[in-house]
Amino acid sequence: MSPPPVCGMFNQLLTALLVSSCCVQALRVEVFPRRAMFRLGERQQLVCLVHDCSVRPSVSWTLLGDRPLTGTVNSNSTHSVLTFDPVMMQHEGTLLCKVSCGEETRQSRRSIQVYSFPSAPVITGQEQLRLGVESTLSCQVSGVYPAEMLTLDWLRGDTVLQSIMGESDTDWVRSTYRFKPLRADSGANITCRASLQLDLPAEDQTRETSVPLNLLYAPVVMTILDSVVVMAGSTIPLTCLAEGNPEPLVTWSFRTADGRSLPQGRGSRLVIAAVSLTQAGRYECEARNTEGNQTAAVEVTVHAPPTNTSISVSPGEEVVEGQQVTVTCRSDAAPPATLVLKREGVELQRTDPTSSSSLSFSLSSALLEDSAHYQCEASNQYGAQLVNKSITVTAHPLQVQVSLVSAAERGSDLVLMCQASGCVDTPTLTWRRTDRNRTVLQRTQRQDGLSPLQLLDLDVQDHGGYSCEAECDSVLRTRTTEVHIYAFPSDPVLQNPGPVLLDQEMVLHCNVSNVFSANQLKIWWLSGNTTLMSESFPFSGSLQNVSSVLRYWVKQDQDLTCRAELLTEDGDVWRSRMTSVPVQVHYAPRATSISVSPGEEVVEGQQVTVTCHSDAAPPTTLVLSRNGAELQRSDASSSLSFSLSSALLEDSAHYQCEASNQYGAQLVTKPITVRAPPRNTTVLVLPSVVVQEGQNVTVCCRAISFPPSAVALKKLSNGTELYSLDGTFLLVNVTARDSGLYQVNVTNDLGYQVKVFSISVRAERSIHLPQSLSNIVVPAVSVAAGLAATALLLDYLRRSRKKGFYQLARSAPVSA
């Protein structure tokens, strides 16, 4: 075993000391180890060796750059040991060992390099690689120092794929590698190698990590048969093998003839037991995982003798002579069967087995002799099957139907319909005029037995009889109908007379143009449901214009209607048209009124709504005023509303509503009174609430209310009570007995308000003041009395400005 680094270093030092003792030399300084490469976090030492110093030297350690030295120093006469425990990044740099030996000084430098490489690289991203899709792998080394000296290499085997160097000012290095994985990459290893470019042992210089690549890819079906041929009743094993990552899920489905997919099961193996013809077809195997899916198919062919052989007859086994009949023969077989259709044993038709699994035979026009037994025989190399069906053909009579009597308007189009039924062959239908030498108008042949005769832009000459003749198998059937023409193209024209003054006569004209009927036109004049007049107009055989006149005294607004009725030959109404016009009656304003809600007398604070109504035509201009001052105006209206959200005493007034239009005006008036309980009660005591015996005291009480309040003054100590109409009380020649609390009660029929105050009467005593003080007090008293009177007057004037303030006339003074 080799000695530890520290022991080796001391051996070198000892050798140097022995050599130096052999000869006398000048002072020398050496620092060991000569190459200082320290790992972060470890314990390391530097030794400063002193040679040829006869006295005890002075040794000091210094980091260049004026940086603090964070280490432990132990010195003796021959050397000094600097210990780093642990090594940190701030220890990196140039270290100076300075030795002083007497007058002589020597120093030695040593560069310290620090490194850290604690762990191997970490690779991420290898679990989510997808075939053919650009993927990213990440490799990171953490806690490395110096990071700029670290190289990260990506390798596949010995091949370097990518290389980067770290950057300074960080303790980690990361490298990303982008590539598109191939199928061959699945399961292969990729390596990230980290190399610290320092002079270190190999085990400390390089670390690496290898991981397998987990390549995700969609399923690929590897094994499946293209087709399977079996006999009906056999068991079929179908196998579908697929590869994929993640491992795919395999499902089976059966594709029907109409394109639907029916699930059959899961797993790589599907077993069909006792297969039948209906189970022959395309079976699809789908392999699916999170990366995609792939579908493969196998065709299953089932061979069997003919089964389910049948005959169908359209429209049915019992048909009418002349109908088209289709006989269809079908059979299930594999390979397809040869089909032979026979009638009473005589072959009618045969199919080629490679062309179709069904056979159809048609009778374009069934005859009575087509009634027979029909056989269908199906055969292939595995067997044969025979079925029978009977067809019966019966005869039927020919019938003809035509439209009933038709009424149509001149200028319109009319379609007369003739229908022949019960005809075996296609009937021949012929239209004629019955009143014009039986002129042929139209001849048709249709399988459905219908013959529509279109009469376009009808006119009077189209009126008359029409006949439809049906021919079938030499049989003729004829039916006739009548066409009646009427003309009533537009509504009656009724001119609007415009506004009419009340009690004036109005003349209206109702005009009907281009009318025609075999009977007559009747005109009705109506007011609502009331008949005012009716008039009838006969026709002379040609188009006619008709006019009717109505003379009418108008009393009110109404709608007048002119209704014209065109009558048929039987007197029924063929068509009715009407036109209405509004008749407006104009007049001056009338029935003008004012309504007040909730009433003409309201309590202060209530909401009051004043509504003005008037009847006039055209609608009036309404103006609502209060004591002549306009409050609100409404043009062309029959009513107007004005609201007081909270009525005040000053809202008591006369309100006028004036309604006017071009024919006149009308004015109505209504008073509104606002009542209020006493409020804002004030009491003024003059000359003061503190007086001398023998003085007179005036109590003035003021309040806002309506109706006016009664005022009572009461002395609370003895119940003495006084009343005043104007709220003023005079207490004459008061004495000390008049001192005490007084109560003023202000009352009307809506409520009351109470005020309490006190008066203090002091015993009279003579006070002798100096002449100079007397000259000051008397004017001061005069000024105070004047100010009190002025305040009372201003308060009275302020209250008197408010509407609703009420003050009784002053009464004779009342003595207390």
Side-chain angles (χ1 to χ4, degrees):
M1 178 181 295
S2 59
V6 176
C7 294
M9 183 173 61
F10 275 105
N11 290 334
Q12 296 176 13
L13 292 175
L14 183 58
T15 302
L17 287 172
L18 292 175
V19 172
S20 65
S21 64
C22 295
C23 56
V24 178
Q25 297 179 358
L27 177 64
R28 290 183 296 111
V29 177
E30 292 181 285
V31 178
F32 293 92
R34 299 186 183 280
R35 176 177 165 273
M37 181 70 69
F38 296 162
R39 186 196 303 268
L40 285 174
E42 291 185 345
R43 183 177 183 275
Q44 296 288 349
Q45 291 180 327
L46 285 176
V47 178
C48 183
L49 187 63
V50 181
H51 297 281
D52 301 324
C53 180
S54 58
V55 297
R56 183 179 180 87
S58 173
V59 181
S60 63
W61 296 88
T62 306
L63 271 173
L64 296 186
D66 294 331
R67 291 184 295 157
L69 180 64
T70 57
T72 303
V73 178
N74 291 315
S75 302
N76 57 26
S77 61
T78 60
H79 62 275
S80 177
V81 179
L82 174 61
T83 302
F84 300 117
D85 189 11
V87 175
M88 296 180 291
M89 282 191 290
Q90 54 264 40
H91 295 150
E92 188 171 51
T94 301
L95 190 67
L96 181 66
C97 177
K98 185 176 181 181
V99 178
S100 296
C101 180
E103 298 298 327
E104 193 174 3
T105 301
R106 293 286 187 273
Q107 63 184 18
S108 179
R109 299 185 181 202
R110 183 68 67 234
S111 293
I112 299 177
Q113 188 165 5
V114 176
Y115 75 96
S116 175
F117 195 1
S119 61
V122 177
I123 299 177
T124 57
Q126 73 277 10
E127 296 295 333
Q128 298 296 324
L129 304 178
R130 287 176 170 80
L131 182 64
V133 177
E134 183 173 290
S135 304
T136 302
L137 298 180
S138 177
C139 176
Q140 180 170 322
V141 179
S142 301
V144 64
Y145 181 84
E148 65 270 18
M149 300 299 292
L150 186 76
T151 302
L152 281 182
D153 297 320
W154 288 95
L155 300 96
R156 289 287 297 274
D158 295 329
T159 304
V160 177
L161 305 175
Q162 180 178 297
S163 184
I164 69 161
M165 290 290 292
E167 298 179 357
S168 59
D169 299 328
T170 181
D171 65 347
W172 56 271
V173 180
R174 178 183 297 165
S175 174
T176 57
Y177 174 58
R178 291 181 174 83
F179 70 111
K180 288 186 178 180
L182 304 176
R183 180 66 59 81
D185 295 329
S186 182
N189 286 340
I190 191 167
T191 301
C192 179
R193 176 184 296 164
S195 301
L196 194 58
Q197 305 300 318
L198 298 175
D199 187 11
L200 297 172
E203 64 272 13
D204 293 336
Q205 188 176 31
T206 301
R207 299 176 187 271
E208 64 181 36
T209 300
S210 297
V211 295
L213 298 180
N214 183 30
L215 179 59
L216 304 179
Y217 59 94
V220 177
V221 176
M222 308 299 294
T223 304
I224 191 170
L225 296 175
D226 292 333
S227 62
V228 176
V229 180
V230 295
M231 284 297 296
S234 303
T235 298
I236 308 174
L238 301 177
T239 302
C240 176
L241 300 179
E243 290 184 356
N245 187 22
E247 183 178 353
L249 172 66
V250 177
T251 58
W252 290 89
S253 61
F254 176 65
R255 184 70 62 179
T256 63
D258 58 1
R260 292 181 298 120
S261 181
L262 303 178
Q264 298 296 305
R266 293 186 177 184
S268 59
R269 184 176 174 85
L270 175 66
V271 177
I272 306 173
V275 66
S276 64
L277 285 176
T278 58
Q279 292 175 296
R282 179 184 176 91
Y283 286 80
E284 295 179 346
C285 150
E286 183 190 43
R288 178 183 292 274
N289 64 10
T290 57
E291 302 305 306
N293 65 292
Q294 187 178 39
T295 301
V298 57
E299 285 291 338
V300 175
T301 302
V302 180
H303 283 182
T307 58
N308 302 327
T309 306
S310 65
I311 293 180
S312 61
V313 181
S314 176
E317 298 176 36
E318 291 188 1
V319 296
V320 179
E321 184 179 12
Q323 278 188 290
Q324 180 176 350
V325 180
T326 300
V327 182
T328 303
C329 177
R330 291 185 176 85
S331 183
D332 295 331
T338 298
L339 299 176
V340 179
L341 182 64
K342 299 178 182 181
R343 181 170 57 195
E344 300 295 351
V346 178
E347 182 176 318
L348 296 175
Q349 194 169 331
R350 176 185 293 266
T351 63
D352 181 357
T354 61
S355 61
S356 177
S357 62
S358 65
L359 177 152
S360 291
F361 175 77
S362 293
L363 299 170
S364 59
S365 179
L367 304 176
L368 292 175
E369 54 266 32
D370 290 325
S371 297
H373 287 86
Y374 291 77
Q375 302 89 32
C376 175
E377 182 180 14
S379 61
N380 66 5
Q381 63 265 40
Y382 300 109
Q385 193 174 30
L386 180 69
V387 294
N388 297 276
K389 184 157 287 189
S390 297
I391 296 177
T392 303
V393 181
T394 60
H396 64 85
L398 175 65
Q399 295 182 354
V400 179
Q401 293 179 335
V402 296
S403 305
L404 299 176
V405 175
S406 300
E409 189 171 2
R410 175 178 176 268
S412 65
D413 299 336
L414 177 65
V415 177
L416 299 178
M417 186 62 70
C418 178
Q419 182 178 14
S421 61
C423 183
V424 176
D425 298 324
T426 302
T428 300
L429 300 176
T430 304
W431 281 98
R432 301 176 188 271
R433 286 296 299 263
T434 59
D435 53 353
R436 294 186 182 179
N437 300 323
R438 297 185 58 81
T439 303
V440 174
L441 302 176
Q442 176 179 292
R443 181 174 283 116
T444 59
Q445 285 185 320
R446 287 176 51 165
Q447 184 66 37
D448 58 4
L450 296 176
S451 178
L453 176 63
Q454 293 186 346
L455 302 177
L456 305 178
D457 194 17
L458 290 171
D459 210 337
V460 176
Q461 61 268 23
D462 293 317
H463 175 83
Y466 293 78
S467 68
C468 177
E469 180 182 84
E471 180 180 358
C472 180
D473 298 331
S474 302
V475 176
L476 296 177
R477 296 287 187 268
T478 302
R479 292 290 184 269
T480 61
T481 185
E482 293 289 329
V483 174
H484 298 290
I485 306 299
Y486 296 90
F488 198 173
S490 59
D491 292 338
V493 177
L494 188 59
Q495 295 181 350
N496 192 328
V500 180
L501 287 178
L502 188 66
D503 294 329
Q504 285 192 355
E505 185 181 42
M506 176 183 62
V507 179
L508 289 178
H509 295 266
C510 180
N511 301 317
V512 184
S513 303
N514 297 323
V515 290
F516 174 79
S517 171
N519 192 346
Q520 61 182 359
L521 177 73
K522 192 168 185 178
I523 291 182
W524 300 82
W525 288 94
L526 306 171
S527 175
N529 295 324
T530 303
T531 301
L532 304 178
M533 186 183 79
S534 65
E535 196 172 1
S536 297
F537 300 88
F539 289 93
S540 60
S542 61
L543 295 177
Q544 192 170 334
N545 296 327
V546 177
S547 180
S548 178
V549 179
L550 173 68
R551 296 181 178 274
Y552 185 61
W553 290 86
V554 181
K555 298 294 184 181
Q556 60 184 1
D557 286 353
Q558 56 190 293
D559 288 338
L560 293 182
T561 301
C562 174
R563 186 177 71 201
E565 297 176 347
L566 198 60
L567 305 181
T568 66
E569 292 180 345
D570 298 332
D572 298 328
V573 176
W574 174 75
R575 178 167 295 174
S576 174
R577 293 179 182 269
M578 66 176 61
T579 300
S580 299
V581 294
V583 177
Q584 296 180 346
V585 178
H586 281 190
Y587 49 89
R590 61 187 182 183
T592 304
S593 65
I594 293 182
S595 62
V596 181
S597 175
E600 298 176 32
E601 288 193 1
V602 296
V603 177
E604 186 179 34
Q606 274 189 293
Q607 179 176 351
V608 180
T609 300
V610 182
T611 304
C612 179
H613 296 273
S614 184
D615 178 26
T620 65
T621 296
L622 294 176
V623 178
L624 181 65
S625 304
R626 178 169 60 196
N627 290 337
E630 182 177 319
L631 296 176
Q632 192 167 330
R633 175 185 294 266
S634 174
D635 295 326
S637 176
S638 62
S639 67
L640 179 152
S641 291
F642 175 77
S643 291
L644 299 170
S645 60
S646 179
L648 304 175
L649 287 174
E650 52 263 33
D651 290 324
S652 296
H654 284 85
Y655 290 75
Q656 300 90 27
C657 173
E658 182 180 14
S660 62
N661 65 7
Q662 61 265 43
Y663 301 110
Q666 194 172 28
L667 178 69
V668 294
T669 302
K670 182 162 287 188
I672 295 178
T673 302
V674 181
R675 308 170 67 211
R679 59 180 169 86
N680 298 344
T681 301
T682 59
V683 177
L684 180 64
V685 180
L686 296 175
S688 172
V689 295
V690 178
V691 296
Q692 300 292 328
E693 279 188 327
Q695 282 188 283
N696 294 339
V697 177
T698 303
V699 179
C700 299
C701 178
R702 298 292 181 266
I704 297 175
S705 66
F706 189 85
S709 300
V711 183
L713 176 66
K714 180 179 181 181
K715 186 175 183 184
L716 296 181
S717 61
N718 57 15
T720 302
E721 196 165 3
L722 301 176
Y723 297 93
S724 173
L725 297 179
D726 64 353
T728 301
F729 301 89
L730 179 62
L731 307 181
V732 179
N733 196 18
V734 295
T735 66
R737 293 190 303 273
D738 295 322
S739 295
L741 292 177
Y742 287 81
Q743 173 183 288
V744 173
N745 191 329
V746 183
T747 306
N748 67 6
D749 57 354
L750 296 179
Y752 66 91
Q753 196 169 28
V754 174
K755 292 289 183 179
V756 176
F757 64 94
S758 65
I759 296 177
S760 177
V761 181
R762 297 181 179 179
E764 184 176 1
R765 59 185 177 180
S766 73
I767 302 174
H768 300 283
L769 299 174
Q771 181 64 34
S772 60
L773 183 60
S774 176
N775 293 336
I776 296 173
V777 169
V778 171
V781 171
S782 301
V783 170
L787 290 176
T790 302
L792 182 62
L793 178 60
L794 292 176
D795 181 71
Y796 172 81
L797 292 175
R798 178 179 62 82
R799 294 172 180 271
S800 65
R801 289 194 189 100
K802 294 184 180 180
K803 289 187 177 181
F805 175 79
Y806 190 86
Q807 183 176 7
L808 295 172
R810 298 182 59 87
S811 60
V814 180
S815 173

